């Protein structure tokens, strides 16, 4: 028969156990088991005054912010509402059923003052990576690097043409995002990355780059750079930069050096796309770091008019000259070994050799001799070309998809298609928190369900 709810007198006292309400298999329990913030209060203590009213617990704010990025709650107002209502979120943050939730404005002040001065989320990120290393989720032999464009909080309708934009601004009266921009003009990942003036500049966030790299409608964006370990896709470092190739390459070098300095880990090889195949970057990887570059080489020496390309000539490293297909020598033109301004060295064949050469119509049909140019770091490019012919290279190209999957997860699951904060510091803050969230989710999942090591590919 149909039942009816009994309306009885309410109880006078209730015994409510928050611990018993949160399911054992809820994701907050898994993340809480691998997240340690016991050190935060001690390290942040010097940034708080010894007098005055007690502040909001910094560990509580850090937990709430991490919670927001793990569960794709981008707004701090919305985050406060969710923690107010969701019992699992309250449990994760260490709040009781009647504890008051901090006001959303407290996060803004802490982010722009104490958290920024201490760079606390960089410390959280490093400690999470260290936990992944202790859990044997980091192989350390192979890394992948890539960058993804994230739309900035800037509107083209309120932008200024680059030709009319002036950097002569007073930092004292400028907004915080503009102050960050002015402070980063000499940074290789920002103002010093290129001298080219962008087509448009957003006065509200001048560090955002106007880009049409997605071959669609152009927009203002930042580049989110990831350096990951390919064993389980753990993010080893994260860096924000301008959305241009030069800045992304500089960010990759910064991340490699910082990972080595922080964790003592330097990979044997690294995989990336063509954006990282410039000669200076390959020189950095091969000659300075001793890392094998599994990267396509940026090479424009290939000819499509039917004449011989540079690869048809053989370079003699011992004598520093080229040998043409007919066996003749093309010596270096500058005996003092001074490179040109574009770091290219020229080699010229002898006119007497070319004049009677039967291969001249296929070599230099419109000039008396053949000119060959070689980059001063061509040896590093040759190393990358040789690696591209190996069987291991085919596998590492597939491994590179792991970093692309992380960016897809970032935009689709964590909903970071557009930044909420402005300026280089705001972009770095959001990218770091998102990387923390992704690493925590991966660490929690693989800790609760350990992978079958025997089924992993041996690198």
């Amino acid at each position: 028969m149909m039942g009816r709810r009994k309306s009885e007198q309410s109880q006078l006292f209730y015994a409510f156990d928050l611990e018993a309400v949160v399911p054992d298999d809820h994701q907050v329990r898994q993340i809480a088991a691998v997240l340690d913030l016991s050190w935060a209060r001690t390290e942040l203590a010097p940034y708080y005054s010894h007098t005055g009213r007690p502040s909001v617990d910094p560990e509580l704010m850090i937990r709430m912010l991490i919670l927001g990025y793990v569960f794709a709650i981008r707004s701090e107002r919305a985050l406060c509402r969710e923690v107010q209502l969701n019992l699992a979120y309250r449990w994760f943050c260490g709040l009781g059923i009647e504890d008051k939730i901090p006001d959303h404005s407290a996060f803004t002040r802490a982010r722009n003052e104490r958290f920024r001065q201490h760079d606390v989320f960089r410390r959280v990120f490093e400690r999470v990576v260290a936990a992944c290393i202790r859990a044997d989720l980091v192989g350390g032999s192979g890394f992948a690097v890539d960058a993804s464009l994230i739309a900035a909080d800037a509107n083209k309708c309120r932008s200024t043409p680059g030709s009319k934009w002036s950097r002569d601004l007073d930092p004292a009266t400028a907004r915080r995002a503009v102050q960050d921009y002015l402070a980063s003009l000499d940074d290789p990942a920002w103002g010093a990355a290129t001298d080219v003036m962008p087509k448009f500049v957003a006065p509200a966030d001048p560090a955002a780059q106007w880009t049409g790299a997605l071959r669609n409608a152009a927009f203002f964006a930042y580049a989110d750079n990831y350096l990951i370990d390919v064993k389980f896709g753990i993010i080893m470092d994260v860096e924000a930069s301008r959305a241009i190739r030069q800045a992304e390459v500089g960010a990759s070098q910064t991340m490699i050096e910082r990972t080595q300095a922080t964790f003592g880990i330097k990979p044997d090889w690294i995989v990336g796309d063509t954006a990282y195949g410039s000669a200076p970057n390959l020189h950095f990887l091969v000659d300075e770091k001793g890392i094998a570059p599994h990267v396509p080489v940026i090479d424009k020496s290939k000819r499509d008019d039917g004449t011989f390309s540079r690869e048809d000539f053989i370079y003699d490293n011992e004598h520093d000259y080229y040998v043409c297909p007919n066996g003749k020598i093309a010596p270096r033109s500058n005996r003092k070994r001074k490179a040109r301004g574009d770091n290219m060295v020229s080699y010229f064949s002898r006119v007497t050799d070319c004049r009677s050469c039967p291969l001249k119509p296929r070599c230099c049909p419109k000039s008396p001799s053949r000119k060959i140019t070689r980059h001063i770091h061509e040896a590093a490019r040759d190393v990358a070309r040789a690696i591209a012919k190996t069987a291991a290279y085919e596998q590492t190209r597939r491994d590179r998809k792991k970093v692309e999957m992380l960016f897809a997860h970032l935009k689709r699951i964590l909903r970071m298609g557009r930044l909420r904060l402005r300026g280089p510091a705001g972009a770095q803050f959001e990218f770091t928190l998102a990387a923390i969230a992704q690493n925590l989710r991966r660490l929690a999942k693989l800790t609760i369900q350990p992978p079958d090591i025997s089924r992993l590919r041996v690198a």
Side-chain angles (χ1 to χ4, degrees):
M1 64 180 179
M2 183 182 296
R4 181 183 295 274
R5 180 178 60 86
K6 295 181 179 181
S7 179
E8 298 178 351
Q9 185 178 3
S10 300
Q11 292 178 235
L12 184 59
F13 299 102
Y14 288 88
F16 187 84
D17 185 6
L18 189 59
E19 176 74 26
V21 173
V22 181
D24 293 337
D25 59 348
H26 199 287
Q27 193 172 18
V28 294
R29 287 192 178 273
Q30 301 173 9
I31 294 175
V34 297
L35 178 62
D36 177 23
L37 295 175
S38 59
W39 52 272
R41 291 181 58 86
T42 302
E43 292 200 8
L44 286 170
Y47 299 90
Y48 285 83
S49 174
H50 298 289
T51 60
R53 293 180 301 172
S55 70
V56 179
D57 189 348
E59 183 178 344
L60 170 60
M61 288 193 288
I62 294 173
R63 282 184 174 274
M64 287 183 65
L65 287 170
I66 291 176
L67 186 73
Y69 278 79
V70 168
F71 292 99
I73 308 172
R74 300 295 313 285
S75 167
E76 288 160 1
R77 291 176 184 266
L79 176 62
C80 292
R81 289 196 300 268
E82 290 296 323
V83 176
Q84 175 74 28
L85 298 172
N86 194 305
L87 296 179
Y89 293 172
R90 278 183 173 270
W91 176 88
F92 178 82
C93 296
L95 296 170
I97 191 65
E98 296 180 349
D99 288 338
K100 185 178 180 181
I101 307 298
D103 188 77
H104 67 88
S105 61
F107 293 93
T108 302
R109 293 194 300 270
R111 179 178 63 244
N112 294 326
E113 296 173 5
R114 300 180 181 93
F115 289 173
R116 182 172 179 178
Q117 294 168 5
H118 179 266
D119 202 7
V120 63
F121 287 100
R122 165 58 61 173
R123 299 281 292 116
V124 174
F125 173 78
E126 292 174 353
R127 286 177 176 268
V128 172
V129 175
C132 294
I133 295 173
R134 291 192 298 270
D136 197 27
L137 301 182
V138 175
S141 60
F143 282 4
V145 64
D146 203 357
S148 183
L149 300 185
I150 307 295
D153 184 23
N155 192 341
K156 182 196 172 183
C157 297
R158 299 182 180 180
S159 63
T160 301
S163 58
K164 298 181 180 179
W165 170 255
S166 175
R167 296 179 176 178
D168 298 331
L169 303 172
D170 184 8
T173 60
R175 296 181 179 181
R176 184 176 292 108
V178 179
Q179 293 176 359
D180 292 344
Y181 163 76
L182 296 175
S184 64
L185 291 178
D186 296 329
D187 194 319
W190 300 101
T194 179
D195 295 330
V196 178
M197 179 62 67
K199 185 176 182 179
F200 294 101
V201 175
D205 191 0
Q209 180 73 29
W210 178 256
T211 177
L214 299 184
R215 302 184 185 279
N216 204 334
F219 61 104
F220 289 105
Y222 284 93
D224 186 7
N225 300 270
Y226 275 2
L227 180 70
I228 75 162
D229 183 272
V230 299
K231 183 178 181 181
F232 286 108
I234 299 299
I235 304 170
M236 300 300 295
D237 207 342
V238 54
E239 185 73 9
S241 71
R242 291 181 65 183
I244 55 175
R245 176 181 292 179
Q246 301 94 313
E248 294 169 4
V249 171
S252 70
Q253 297 178 3
T254 299
M255 293 189 293
I256 291 172
E257 292 179 334
R258 190 162 53 199
T259 300
Q260 184 177 3
T262 304
F263 306 109
I265 297 177
K266 188 189 70 169
D268 298 326
W269 52 269
I270 189 169
V271 58
D273 58 23
T274 310
Y276 303 93
S278 63
N281 188 52
L282 294 175
H283 166 68
F284 169 81
L285 294 174
V286 175
D287 302 326
E288 296 185 14
K289 291 298 179 181
I291 301 173
H294 289 237
V295 180
V297 178
I298 299 177
D299 191 356
K300 299 180 180 180
S301 64
K302 185 71 175 179
R303 295 191 174 188
D304 54 4
D305 59 355
T307 59
F308 292 130
S309 300
R310 184 177 59 196
E311 61 183 16
D312 297 315
F313 293 74
I314 301 175
Y315 179 71
D316 189 316
N317 187 50
E318 181 180 356
H319 299 94
D320 191 20
Y321 58 64
Y322 275 93
V323 179
C324 76
N326 196 32
K328 302 298 182 180
I329 295 174
R332 186 169 179 160
S333 63
N334 193 339
R335 299 300 180 181
K336 295 182 180 180
R337 296 181 179 271
K338 291 183 180 180
R340 305 185 315 181
D342 56 358
N343 293 326
M344 302 296 290
V345 181
S346 298
Y347 296 78
F348 287 93
S349 61
R350 297 184 177 91
V351 177
T352 54
D353 293 334
C354 295
R355 184 179 297 134
S356 58
C357 179
L359 300 178
K360 189 176 187 303
R362 295 186 57 195
C363 184
C364 50
K366 299 181 181 180
S367 59
S369 65
R370 176 61 185 263
K371 174 185 175 181
I372 309 167
T373 57
R374 178 181 177 86
H375 199 279
I376 59 174
H377 301 314
E378 193 68 29
R381 288 153 58 97
D382 290 338
V383 171
R385 293 189 185 99
I387 292 174
K389 299 177 182 179
T390 63
Y393 182 81
E394 297 298 326
Q395 176 61 45
T396 58
R397 302 311 296 171
R398 291 189 287 271
D399 289 336
R400 195 178 72 85
K401 295 180 180 179
K402 294 182 178 180
V403 66
E404 296 176 346
M405 292 169 61
L406 282 170
F407 285 131
H409 178 270
L410 177 72
K411 295 179 180 181
R412 293 182 178 271
I413 306 301
L414 301 189
R415 301 179 183 175
M416 188 177 281
R418 182 185 178 93
L419 290 176
R420 188 174 55 85
L421 305 178
R422 293 173 175 173
Q428 185 65 47
F429 178 86
E430 291 212 59
F431 293 160
T432 303
L433 260 172
I436 292 171
Q438 289 183 296
N439 276 349
L440 280 174
R441 291 170 66 114
R442 184 65 55 89
L443 175 62
K445 178 180 179 181
L446 296 179
T447 301
I448 300 301
Q449 301 176 354
D452 186 359
I453 303 298
S454 63
R455 299 181 64 180
L456 293 179
R457 181 184 62 85
V458 179

